[in-house]
mmCIF file of all heavy atoms in Angstrom:
data_model
loop_
_atom_site.group_PDB
_atom_site.id
_atom_site.type_symbol
_atom_site.label_atom_id
_atom_site.label_comp_id
_atom_site.label_asym_id
_atom_site.label_seq_id
_atom_site.Cartn_x
_atom_site.Cartn_y
_atom_site.Cartn_z
ATOM 1 N N VAL G 124 96.493 121.678 91.975
ATOM 2 C CA VAL G 124 95.700 121.906 90.773
ATOM 3 C C VAL G 124 95.870 120.719 89.830
ATOM 4 O O VAL G 124 96.987 120.227 89.643
ATOM 5 C CB VAL G 124 96.139 123.217 90.081
ATOM 6 C CG1 VAL G 124 95.396 123.425 88.772
ATOM 7 C CG2 VAL G 124 95.919 124.402 91.008
ATOM 8 N N PHE G 125 94.759 120.266 89.264
ATOM 9 C CA PHE G 125 94.752 119.126 88.351
ATOM 10 C C PHE G 125 93.940 119.451 87.116
ATOM 11 O O PHE G 125 93.106 120.353 87.132
ATOM 12 C CB PHE G 125 94.091 117.901 89.015
ATOM 13 C CG PHE G 125 94.908 117.281 90.099
ATOM 14 C CD1 PHE G 125 94.756 117.680 91.414
ATOM 15 C CD2 PHE G 125 95.830 116.294 89.805
ATOM 16 C CE1 PHE G 125 95.507 117.110 92.418
ATOM 17 C CE2 PHE G 125 96.588 115.709 90.803
ATOM 18 C CZ PHE G 125 96.422 116.113 92.109
ATOM 19 N N THR G 126 94.154 118.667 86.068
ATOM 20 C CA THR G 126 93.284 118.740 84.907
ATOM 21 C C THR G 126 92.067 117.875 85.208
ATOM 22 O O THR G 126 92.197 116.740 85.658
ATOM 23 C CB THR G 126 94.000 118.209 83.646
ATOM 24 O OG1 THR G 126 95.153 119.015 83.416
ATOM 25 C CG2 THR G 126 93.079 118.250 82.436
ATOM 26 N N VAL G 127 90.895 118.432 84.967
ATOM 27 C CA VAL G 127 89.636 117.745 85.221
ATOM 28 C C VAL G 127 88.965 117.518 83.875
ATOM 29 O O VAL G 127 89.008 118.369 82.999
ATOM 30 C CB VAL G 127 88.736 118.614 86.139
ATOM 31 C CG1 VAL G 127 87.349 118.022 86.247
ATOM 32 C CG2 VAL G 127 89.371 118.772 87.495
ATOM 33 N N SER G 128 88.363 116.355 83.722
ATOM 34 C CA SER G 128 87.642 116.030 82.498
ATOM 35 C C SER G 128 86.199 115.719 82.866
ATOM 36 O O SER G 128 85.939 114.960 83.793
ATOM 37 C CB SER G 128 88.309 114.824 81.823
ATOM 38 O OG SER G 128 87.718 114.556 80.593
ATOM 39 N N TYR G 129 85.255 116.316 82.126
ATOM 40 C CA TYR G 129 83.842 116.084 82.433
ATOM 41 C C TYR G 129 83.021 116.076 81.152
ATOM 42 O O TYR G 129 83.411 116.643 80.142
ATOM 43 C CB TYR G 129 83.303 117.140 83.401
ATOM 44 C CG TYR G 129 83.187 118.524 82.804
ATOM 45 C CD1 TYR G 129 81.980 118.966 82.260
ATOM 46 C CD2 TYR G 129 84.270 119.398 82.787
ATOM 47 C CE1 TYR G 129 81.871 120.225 81.712
ATOM 48 C CE2 TYR G 129 84.169 120.659 82.239
ATOM 49 C CZ TYR G 129 82.967 121.073 81.702
ATOM 50 O OH TYR G 129 82.858 122.331 81.152
ATOM 51 N N LEU G 130 81.901 115.390 81.223
ATOM 52 C CA LEU G 130 80.955 115.391 80.116
ATOM 53 C C LEU G 130 79.922 116.480 80.386
ATOM 54 O O LEU G 130 79.443 116.604 81.515
ATOM 55 C CB LEU G 130 80.288 114.027 79.989
ATOM 56 C CG LEU G 130 81.245 112.889 79.620
ATOM 57 C CD1 LEU G 130 80.556 111.539 79.748
ATOM 58 C CD2 LEU G 130 81.794 113.078 78.222
ATOM 59 N N PRO G 131 79.582 117.282 79.395
ATOM 60 C CA PRO G 131 78.680 118.415 79.612
ATOM 61 C C PRO G 131 77.347 118.042 80.246
ATOM 62 O O PRO G 131 76.792 118.804 81.028
ATOM 63 C CB PRO G 131 78.463 118.990 78.211
ATOM 64 C CG PRO G 131 79.606 118.509 77.408
ATOM 65 C CD PRO G 131 80.031 117.199 78.000
ATOM 66 N N GLU G 132 76.839 116.833 79.941
ATOM 67 C CA GLU G 132 75.538 116.441 80.488
ATOM 68 C C GLU G 132 75.607 116.045 81.961
ATOM 69 O O GLU G 132 74.584 115.989 82.624
ATOM 70 C CB GLU G 132 74.914 115.308 79.656
ATOM 71 C CG GLU G 132 75.666 114.002 79.666
ATOM 72 C CD GLU G 132 76.693 113.855 78.548
ATOM 73 O OE1 GLU G 132 77.133 114.864 77.967
ATOM 74 O OE2 GLU G 132 77.057 112.707 78.268
ATOM 75 N N ARG G 133 76.779 115.746 82.495
ATOM 76 C CA ARG G 133 76.921 115.355 83.903
ATOM 77 C C ARG G 133 78.250 115.851 84.480
ATOM 78 O O ARG G 133 79.131 115.058 84.797
ATOM 79 C CB ARG G 133 76.859 113.827 84.049
ATOM 80 C CG ARG G 133 75.514 113.180 83.820
ATOM 81 C CD ARG G 133 74.417 113.621 84.776
ATOM 82 N NE ARG G 133 74.702 113.440 86.187
ATOM 83 C CZ ARG G 133 74.405 112.372 86.905
ATOM 84 N NH1 ARG G 133 73.794 111.368 86.348
ATOM 85 N NH2 ARG G 133 74.694 112.323 88.183
ATOM 86 N N PRO G 134 78.415 117.156 84.636
ATOM 87 C CA PRO G 134 79.680 117.649 85.184
ATOM 88 C C PRO G 134 79.935 117.182 86.615
ATOM 89 O O PRO G 134 81.080 117.138 87.062
ATOM 90 C CB PRO G 134 79.545 119.168 85.105
ATOM 91 C CG PRO G 134 78.095 119.432 84.942
ATOM 92 C CD PRO G 134 77.498 118.228 84.298
ATOM 93 N N ASP G 135 78.877 116.788 87.334
ATOM 94 C CA ASP G 135 79.048 116.296 88.704
ATOM 95 C C ASP G 135 79.756 114.944 88.740
ATOM 96 O O ASP G 135 80.231 114.519 89.782
ATOM 97 C CB ASP G 135 77.696 116.197 89.407
ATOM 98 C CG ASP G 135 76.719 115.301 88.661
ATOM 99 O OD1 ASP G 135 76.542 115.522 87.437
ATOM 100 O OD2 ASP G 135 76.141 114.396 89.277
ATOM 101 N N LYS G 136 79.848 114.273 87.590
ATOM 102 C CA LYS G 136 80.567 113.001 87.512
ATOM 103 C C LYS G 136 81.918 113.194 86.831
ATOM 104 O O LYS G 136 82.371 112.334 86.077
ATOM 105 C CB LYS G 136 79.738 111.965 86.749
ATOM 106 C CG LYS G 136 78.552 111.460 87.519
ATOM 107 C CD LYS G 136 77.980 110.253 86.821
ATOM 108 C CE LYS G 136 77.039 109.529 87.751
ATOM 109 N NZ LYS G 136 76.788 108.172 87.303
ATOM 110 N N ALA G 137 82.544 114.298 87.110
ATOM 111 C CA ALA G 137 83.851 114.603 86.521
ATOM 112 C C ALA G 137 84.902 113.650 87.073
ATOM 113 O O ALA G 137 84.678 112.928 88.044
ATOM 114 C CB ALA G 137 84.231 116.053 86.837
ATOM 115 N N THR G 138 86.062 113.682 86.444
ATOM 116 C CA THR G 138 87.171 112.848 86.886
ATOM 117 C C THR G 138 88.479 113.609 86.737
ATOM 118 O O THR G 138 88.610 114.455 85.861
ATOM 119 C CB THR G 138 87.200 111.527 86.083
ATOM 120 O OG1 THR G 138 88.277 110.723 86.550
ATOM 121 C CG2 THR G 138 87.332 111.746 84.608
ATOM 122 N N VAL G 139 89.413 113.308 87.613
ATOM 123 C CA VAL G 139 90.743 113.896 87.499
ATOM 124 C C VAL G 139 91.435 113.178 86.349
ATOM 125 O O VAL G 139 91.505 111.948 86.328
ATOM 126 C CB VAL G 139 91.543 113.731 88.813
ATOM 127 C CG1 VAL G 139 92.964 114.198 88.636
ATOM 128 C CG2 VAL G 139 90.859 114.496 89.930
ATOM 129 N N ALA G 140 91.915 113.935 85.382
ATOM 130 C CA ALA G 140 92.532 113.357 84.181
ATOM 131 C C ALA G 140 94.044 113.284 84.382
ATOM 132 O O ALA G 140 94.762 114.223 84.079
ATOM 133 C CB ALA G 140 92.187 114.201 82.960
ATOM 134 N N LEU G 141 94.499 112.171 84.911
ATOM 135 C CA LEU G 141 95.938 111.972 85.107
ATOM 136 C C LEU G 141 96.518 111.339 83.849
ATOM 137 O O LEU G 141 95.922 110.426 83.278
ATOM 138 C CB LEU G 141 96.194 111.072 86.313
ATOM 139 C CG LEU G 141 95.664 111.596 87.645
ATOM 140 C CD1 LEU G 141 95.796 110.537 88.724
ATOM 141 C CD2 LEU G 141 96.416 112.854 88.049
ATOM 142 N N PRO G 142 97.695 111.803 83.398
ATOM 143 C CA PRO G 142 98.275 111.245 82.179
ATOM 144 C C PRO G 142 98.566 109.748 82.336
ATOM 145 O O PRO G 142 99.136 109.325 83.329
ATOM 146 C CB PRO G 142 99.570 112.028 81.984
ATOM 147 C CG PRO G 142 99.667 112.995 83.102
ATOM 148 C CD PRO G 142 98.503 112.811 84.007
ATOM 149 N N GLY G 143 98.139 108.960 81.360
ATOM 150 C CA GLY G 143 98.399 107.529 81.365
ATOM 151 C C GLY G 143 97.683 106.759 82.471
ATOM 152 O O GLY G 143 98.072 105.648 82.801
ATOM 153 N N ASP G 144 96.644 107.351 83.044
ATOM 154 C CA ASP G 144 95.929 106.705 84.158
ATOM 155 C C ASP G 144 95.090 105.553 83.638
ATOM 156 O O ASP G 144 94.153 105.738 82.889
ATOM 157 C CB ASP G 144 95.048 107.731 84.873
ATOM 158 C CG ASP G 144 94.343 107.155 86.092
ATOM 159 O OD1 ASP G 144 94.750 106.076 86.562
ATOM 160 O OD2 ASP G 144 93.405 107.802 86.585
ATOM 161 N N ARG G 145 95.424 104.344 84.061
ATOM 162 C CA ARG G 145 94.689 103.141 83.694
ATOM 163 C C ARG G 145 94.110 102.473 84.938
ATOM 164 O O ARG G 145 93.759 101.308 84.925
ATOM 165 C CB ARG G 145 95.614 102.153 82.972
ATOM 166 C CG ARG G 145 96.080 102.629 81.642
ATOM 167 C CD ARG G 145 94.945 102.526 80.741
ATOM 168 N NE ARG G 145 95.302 102.338 79.364
ATOM 169 C CZ ARG G 145 94.495 102.707 78.406
ATOM 170 N NH1 ARG G 145 93.365 103.273 78.690
ATOM 171 N NH2 ARG G 145 94.806 102.501 77.167
ATOM 172 N N ARG G 146 94.033 103.220 86.026
ATOM 173 C CA ARG G 146 93.592 102.671 87.314
ATOM 174 C C ARG G 146 92.189 102.069 87.218
ATOM 175 O O ARG G 146 91.943 100.969 87.711
ATOM 176 C CB ARG G 146 93.621 103.768 88.372
ATOM 177 C CG ARG G 146 93.411 103.298 89.766
ATOM 178 C CD ARG G 146 93.662 104.416 90.742
ATOM 179 N NE ARG G 146 94.277 105.548 90.076
ATOM 180 C CZ ARG G 146 93.911 106.811 90.256
ATOM 181 N NH1 ARG G 146 92.950 107.091 91.088
ATOM 182 N NH2 ARG G 146 94.499 107.789 89.623
ATOM 183 N N ALA G 147 91.282 102.779 86.577
ATOM 184 C CA ALA G 147 89.902 102.299 86.496
ATOM 185 C C ALA G 147 89.838 100.964 85.751
ATOM 186 O O ALA G 147 89.139 100.048 86.166
ATOM 187 C CB ALA G 147 89.023 103.333 85.802
ATOM 188 N N GLN G 148 90.610 100.839 84.668
ATOM 189 C CA GLN G 148 90.596 99.592 83.916
ATOM 190 C C GLN G 148 91.218 98.450 84.724
ATOM 191 O O GLN G 148 90.727 97.322 84.687
ATOM 192 C CB GLN G 148 91.341 99.763 82.579
ATOM 193 C CG GLN G 148 90.576 100.588 81.576
ATOM 194 C CD GLN G 148 90.756 102.095 81.753
ATOM 195 O OE1 GLN G 148 91.419 102.558 82.659
ATOM 196 N NE2 GLN G 148 90.141 102.861 80.875
ATOM 197 N N ARG G 149 92.295 98.741 85.473
ATOM 198 C CA ARG G 149 92.907 97.701 86.314
ATOM 199 C C ARG G 149 91.955 97.265 87.411
ATOM 200 O O ARG G 149 91.812 96.070 87.689
ATOM 201 C CB ARG G 149 94.215 98.207 86.919
ATOM 202 C CG ARG G 149 95.370 98.231 85.950
ATOM 203 C CD ARG G 149 96.688 98.442 86.660
ATOM 204 N NE ARG G 149 96.695 99.568 87.571
ATOM 205 C CZ ARG G 149 97.067 100.806 87.260
ATOM 206 N NH1 ARG G 149 97.465 101.082 86.039
ATOM 207 N NH2 ARG G 149 97.047 101.767 88.160
ATOM 208 N N GLU G 150 91.311 98.234 88.049
ATOM 209 C CA GLU G 150 90.353 97.903 89.105
ATOM 210 C C GLU G 150 89.216 97.050 88.550
ATOM 211 O O GLU G 150 88.797 96.079 89.177
ATOM 212 C CB GLU G 150 89.791 99.173 89.742
ATOM 213 C CG GLU G 150 90.764 99.901 90.616
ATOM 214 C CD GLU G 150 90.209 101.226 91.133
ATOM 215 O OE1 GLU G 150 89.035 101.558 90.834
ATOM 216 O OE2 GLU G 150 90.958 101.932 91.825
ATOM 217 N N LEU G 151 88.730 97.402 87.373
ATOM 218 C CA LEU G 151 87.653 96.632 86.760
ATOM 219 C C LEU G 151 88.115 95.209 86.462
ATOM 220 O O LEU G 151 87.402 94.250 86.729
ATOM 221 C CB LEU G 151 87.169 97.301 85.474
ATOM 222 C CG LEU G 151 86.099 96.523 84.705
ATOM 223 C CD1 LEU G 151 84.824 96.408 85.527
ATOM 224 C CD2 LEU G 151 85.826 97.182 83.372
ATOM 225 N N GLY G 152 89.315 95.067 85.922
ATOM 226 C CA GLY G 152 89.841 93.743 85.624
ATOM 227 C C GLY G 152 89.930 92.875 86.867
ATOM 228 O O GLY G 152 89.485 91.718 86.864
ATOM 229 N N CYS G 153 90.473 93.426 87.940
ATOM 230 C CA CYS G 153 90.578 92.675 89.206
ATOM 231 C C CYS G 153 89.196 92.322 89.739
ATOM 232 O O CYS G 153 88.959 91.192 90.187
ATOM 233 C CB CYS G 153 91.348 93.484 90.240
ATOM 234 S SG CYS G 153 93.090 93.660 89.866
ATOM 235 N N LEU G 154 88.282 93.274 89.688
ATOM 236 C CA LEU G 154 86.938 93.025 90.191
ATOM 237 C C LEU G 154 86.233 91.945 89.374
ATOM 238 O O LEU G 154 85.591 91.058 89.924
ATOM 239 C CB LEU G 154 86.110 94.313 90.178
ATOM 240 C CG LEU G 154 84.682 94.173 90.678
ATOM 241 C CD1 LEU G 154 84.665 93.777 92.154
ATOM 242 C CD2 LEU G 154 83.923 95.469 90.478
ATOM 243 N N LEU G 155 86.378 91.996 88.056
ATOM 244 C CA LEU G 155 85.718 91.000 87.219
ATOM 245 C C LEU G 155 86.298 89.604 87.438
ATOM 246 O O LEU G 155 85.561 88.615 87.420
ATOM 247 C CB LEU G 155 85.790 91.397 85.747
ATOM 248 C CG LEU G 155 84.945 92.614 85.367
ATOM 249 C CD1 LEU G 155 85.128 92.953 83.891
ATOM 250 C CD2 LEU G 155 83.478 92.400 85.686
ATOM 251 N N VAL G 156 87.608 89.499 87.671
ATOM 252 C CA VAL G 156 88.198 88.197 87.982
ATOM 253 C C VAL G 156 87.619 87.670 89.296
ATOM 254 O O VAL G 156 87.205 86.514 89.397
ATOM 255 C CB VAL G 156 89.743 88.290 88.061
ATOM 256 C CG1 VAL G 156 90.339 87.040 88.693
ATOM 257 C CG2 VAL G 156 90.325 88.512 86.676
ATOM 258 N N PHE G 157 87.576 88.539 90.311
ATOM 259 C CA PHE G 157 87.011 88.129 91.597
ATOM 260 C C PHE G 157 85.543 87.729 91.455
ATOM 261 O O PHE G 157 85.107 86.697 91.975
ATOM 262 C CB PHE G 157 87.140 89.250 92.626
ATOM 263 C CG PHE G 157 86.338 89.006 93.871
ATOM 264 C CD1 PHE G 157 86.760 88.092 94.822
ATOM 265 C CD2 PHE G 157 85.141 89.665 94.084
ATOM 266 C CE1 PHE G 157 86.012 87.842 95.957
ATOM 267 C CE2 PHE G 157 84.380 89.441 95.217
ATOM 268 C CZ PHE G 157 84.821 88.520 96.159
#
Side-chain angles (χ1 to χ4, degrees):
V124 176
F125 289 91
T126 300
V127 171
S128 185
Y129 69 95
L130 295 170
E132 65 269 20
R133 289 299 304 269
D135 57 309
K136 288 192 165 198
T138 181
V139 174
L141 300 172
D144 184 16
R145 293 287 207 205
R146 190 172 349 135
Q148 287 84 357
R149 284 193 309 268
E150 288 175 2
L151 176 64
C153 290
L154 180 64
L155 291 178
V156 167
F157 168 75

